[in-house]
Amino acid sequence: MDKNDMFRRELVDVHGVPLFWTIAEEWSKIEGFEARPDDLLISTYPKSGTTWVSEILDLIYNNGDAEKCKRDVIFNRVPFMELIMPGYVNGIEQLEALESPRLVKTHLPVELLPSSLWKNDCKMIYVARNAKDVAVSYYHFYRMSKMHPEPGTWEEFLETFMAGKVSFGSWYDHVKGWWEKKKDYRILYLFYEDMKEDPKRELLKILKFLEKDLPEEIVNKILYHTSFAIMKENPATNYTVKTGEEMDHSISPFMRKGISGDWKNQFTVAQYERFEKHYNQQMEGTTLKFRAEI
Ligand code: PPS
């Protein structure tokens, strides 16, 4: 397919959730994904720490062997389940070819998750990040990654984000949906801000959830290799192998800033006030609470 036909297209709704157009076209294949009981699902709304927690998990699965974790790029070690782009990638086929135990990445909201993942009672790790930092990170990602429609200005993008008209839909529905599912399934719900504040504490939570013990020395090694500075320089995690028609790192690198509270550099006071009002309406009644800075 001509790259001009593939990229910068309008999103297509699947059961009311806007998705990349080829994901919508291939939806029946994604719905039919066959989970295995020992799959570990890494679920996130985009730009919430997916790559970070994926690298942590691959290192855990490989007992902290950083060289082994450079065997391939992160999106081949932890395939993005629903990403089917003919001629580029097919997450379902990638996963079928992987040996167990598999690490599976998804950005799907709970209502769109293939049923076999629930039926097999797979363990799931969800990472959530505060909405304002996600909006900023997503805006810069829209600019550099051409599988998204053009973002427009920041002001325009922020409106699109608040309306849930971005790829994978409403942040509010996503984080609340997964929070509710936690009551009935084996879901470890983590926060990006907690990982920034105390990465060791959060890594130990992950190990407990996986019922895995690692010596202190390996834990420290994993923390070192998953710091932002190291992951930014690692070609197996920084997405720099994706270039040109897919991603333009000269517009904004995939590993951009890796901090909490960057929204303060992006939001005007008026945008902040409007956002907070809308946020409080959207998040009313939930026990889910976020920190917008640490
Ligand atoms: S994606 O495309 O949805 O899978 O992106 P995702 O990996 O979820 O999110 C990318 C943001 O996470 C930051 N990042 C990190 N922060 C801290 N530590 C580490 N190790 C780390 N790795 C990635 C990355 O920089 C993006 O955030 P921003 O705010 O844009 O810098």
Side-chain angles (χ1 to χ4, degrees), residues 47-51 105 107 129 137 192 226 228 256-258:
K47 313 323 286 178
S48 302
T50 331
T51 314
K105 162 180 168 177
H107 286 322
R129 186 182 191 186
S137 181
Y192 181 96
T226 54
F228 180 75
R256 199 180 57 91
K257 287 193 180 173

Side-chain angles (χ1 to χ4, degrees), residues 105-226:
K105 162 180 168 177
T106 188
H107 286 322
L108 292 173
V110 279
E111 67 273 22
L112 291 190
L113 195 75
S115 60
S116 71
L117 284 149
W118 303 122
K119 284 190 191 126
N120 278 283
D121 196 28
C122 296
K123 282 192 184 178
M124 305 177 180
I125 296 184
Y126 187 81
V127 188
R129 186 182 191 186
N130 82 81
K132 291 193 285 294
D133 279 335
V134 168
V136 173
S137 181
Y138 215 177
Y139 169 62
H140 293 293
F141 191 51
Y142 254 66
R143 292 169 58 230
M144 69 85 78
S145 167
K146 297 170 191 174
M147 62 180 292
H148 304 98
E150 292 285 354
T153 62
W154 157 245
E155 176 93 15
E156 286 162 350
F157 180 80
L158 187 59
E159 288 300 318
T160 315
F161 179 87
M162 287 163 64
K165 302 282 185 217
V166 289
S167 187
F168 295 100
S170 156
W171 175 90
Y172 313 91
D173 293 347
H174 207 282
V175 294
K176 287 189 290 182
W178 279 93
W179 182 250
E180 290 305 315
K181 278 283 181 191
K182 190 166 81 73
K183 294 179 186 142
D184 300 316
Y185 292 92
R186 300 195 291 171
I187 300 171
L188 177 68
Y189 201 106
L190 299 174
F191 294 91
Y192 181 96
E193 293 73 25
D194 292 348
M195 290 170 64
K196 283 298 298 183
E197 182 181 65
D198 191 344
K200 189 164 191 170
R201 179 188 64 207
E202 300 307 304
L203 175 48
L204 294 177
K205 269 190 208 167
I206 294 175
L207 288 173
K208 187 166 176 226
F209 179 68
L210 298 177
E211 296 159 278
K212 199 171 161 74
D213 251 336
L214 285 178
E216 173 99 18
E217 178 199 333
I218 293 188
V219 166
N220 289 337
K221 206 169 152 192
I222 294 175
L223 290 171
Y224 172 78
H225 284 289
T226 54

Side-chain angles (χ1 to χ4, degrees), residues 8-176:
R8 294 295 190 205
R9 301 243 311 228
E10 285 309 308
L11 301 169
V12 177
D13 274 8
V14 174
H15 302 297
V17 179
L19 297 174
F20 186 65
W21 70 280
T22 55
I23 297 182
E25 280 204 347
E26 303 284 341
W27 187 249
S28 62
K29 289 201 189 98
I30 296 154
E31 251 184 333
F33 170 70
E34 286 181 33
R36 303 175 193 159
D38 59 355
D39 284 342
L40 181 81
L41 185 74
I42 298 168
S43 172
T44 53
Y45 187 82
K47 313 323 286 178
S48 302
T50 331
T51 314
W52 188 7
V53 81
S54 297
E55 183 68 2
I56 291 174
L57 283 160
D58 193 39
L59 277 157
I60 292 175
Y61 274 36
N62 288 286
N63 290 308
D65 187 338
E67 284 316 304
K68 226 170 164 187
C69 293
K70 288 181 183 151
R71 68 192 180 282
D72 208 336
V73 290
I74 192 71
F75 43 87
N76 291 335
R77 289 179 281 134
V78 183
F80 187 174
M81 177 180 67
E82 65 272 22
L83 189 59
I84 302 183
M85 295 166 71
Y88 286 85
V89 63
N90 185 318
I92 301 289
E93 286 175 7
Q94 269 186 300
L95 284 162
E96 280 167 359
L98 266 197
E99 275 176 27
S100 291
R102 304 182 295 188
L103 294 168
V104 181
K105 162 180 168 177
T106 188
H107 286 322
L108 292 173
V110 279
E111 67 273 22
L112 291 190
L113 195 75
S115 60
S116 71
L117 284 149
W118 303 122
K119 284 190 191 126
N120 278 283
D121 196 28
C122 296
K123 282 192 184 178
M124 305 177 180
I125 296 184
Y126 187 81
V127 188
R129 186 182 191 186
N130 82 81
K132 291 193 285 294
D133 279 335
V134 168
V136 173
S137 181
Y138 215 177
Y139 169 62
H140 293 293
F141 191 51
Y142 254 66
R143 292 169 58 230
M144 69 85 78
S145 167
K146 297 170 191 174
M147 62 180 292
H148 304 98
E150 292 285 354
T153 62
W154 157 245
E155 176 93 15
E156 286 162 350
F157 180 80
L158 187 59
E159 288 300 318
T160 315
F161 179 87
M162 287 163 64
K165 302 282 185 217
V166 289
S167 187
F168 295 100
S170 156
W171 175 90
Y172 313 91
D173 293 347
H174 207 282
V175 294
K176 287 189 290 182

